[in-house]
Amino acid sequence: MKLLNKLKHIIFLFLLCLSLFGCGSKETVTIGRDSVIVAFGDSLTQGVGVSISESYPSQLETLLGVKVVNSGISGQTSQQGLARINKVLNENMPDVVIICYGGNDVLQRKSKSELTNNLRQMILAAKQNGIEVILLAVPDFGLRLSPMNLYRQLASEHDVVLIEDTLTSLLSNLTMKSDRVHLNEKGYKALATKLAEHINIIK
């Protein structure tokens, strides 16, 4: 009985740790000046609402001084992203991939379990090739925006960097948006700035 109670206590502390702190997930990735980053996602990655030069991948490239490939396709679901990720990774051979999918899954009322599995497979595709992953959490679009818990679970499960609250915060601020679900130049810049804080460049 004592052993069972102790085991329950350990499990409780572990789950509490995951809930409060996202244990197991990285805080930063480290790359060199000649590294390549692939920004992989849907319209938020493509930069709908602004010019290409104002998209977050372009602004991140300016901030970091390394090549950032914009591989965002507007309207894509996570299933469509999963179908093309290997081709994108093989073509660009990046050191880091920033994954931002989920918005269209939510808008099209696709299952959260399907979204979770698709994101998991994207993460594994990158990690199996030695590519660092940064996961951008997309909010659930309801009366009140909030990050979906599945992103924290995946980040902890696979030890990847999670940017959890940034998109929720930006999409909750009218001054950062070009329409209901996309950012403006100021919003994409704020997103790029936040991402840059989690990428260390070896000089």
Side-chain angles (χ1 to χ4, degrees):
M1 183 64 72
K2 287 183 178 179
L3 182 60
L4 180 60
N5 287 335
K6 186 175 181 181
L7 182 60
K8 287 180 178 178
H9 183 66
I10 291 171
I11 292 172
F12 171 77
L13 290 176
F14 176 72
L15 292 175
L16 181 64
C17 182
L18 288 178
S19 172
L20 295 178
F21 304 109
C23 298
S25 60
K26 288 184 174 183
E27 290 294 324
T28 61
V29 297
T30 301
I31 59 176
R33 283 287 175 197
D34 59 348
S35 296
V36 175
I37 297 171
V38 164
F40 187 71
D42 52 29
S43 56
L44 286 169
T45 299
Q46 181 179 314
V48 168
V50 298
S51 67
I52 290 296
S53 64
E54 295 172 332
S55 67
Y56 98 70
S58 292
Q59 298 200 60
L60 183 62
E61 182 172 271
T62 300
L63 286 169
L64 295 177
V66 301
K67 182 178 180 180
V68 179
V69 177
N70 187 332
S71 188
I73 298 179
S74 181
Q76 280 207 330
T77 63
S78 62
Q79 184 177 11
Q80 292 170 310
L82 177 58
R84 71 184 181 95
I85 190 167
N86 283 321
K87 182 174 184 291
V88 170
L89 297 180
N90 289 335
E91 286 178 349
N92 295 284
M93 301 295 290
D95 299 276
V96 179
V97 61
I98 302 169
I99 299 174
C100 180
Y101 271 98
N104 291 307
D105 292 66
V106 171
L107 293 172
Q108 295 178 28
R109 300 178 183 271
K110 294 186 179 293
S111 76
K112 299 289 176 58
S113 61
E114 180 183 346
L115 171 58
T116 302
N117 186 59
N118 290 338
L119 289 170
R120 179 180 290 112
Q121 295 307 313
M122 291 183 208
I123 292 168
L124 289 174
K127 295 196 76 172
Q128 285 167 2
N129 286 284
I131 300 166
E132 295 273 17
V133 176
I134 297 177
L135 189 60
L136 260 174
V138 177
D140 216 341
F141 294 101
L143 292 176
R144 185 181 177 205
L145 296 182
S146 60
M148 290 182 276
N149 290 333
L150 63 92
Y151 293 96
R152 181 180 293 195
Q153 293 166 3
L154 286 168
S156 296
E157 180 182 333
H158 297 286
D159 190 25
V160 301
V161 174
L162 174 65
I163 310 299
E164 186 174 23
D165 300 313
T166 302
L167 274 176
T168 296
S169 177
L170 292 173
L171 290 170
S172 299
N173 186 342
L174 290 176
T175 68
M176 296 289 183
K177 296 166 67 174
S178 61
D179 60 33
R180 187 170 71 90
V181 295
H182 298 107
L183 301 174
N184 57 23
E185 186 274 339
K186 187 177 177 182
Y188 285 121
K189 183 176 182 178
L191 177 57
T193 300
K194 183 64 176 180
L195 283 162
E197 292 174 0
H198 292 266
I199 302 172
N200 294 324
I201 307 292
I202 298 175
K203 298 180 180 180

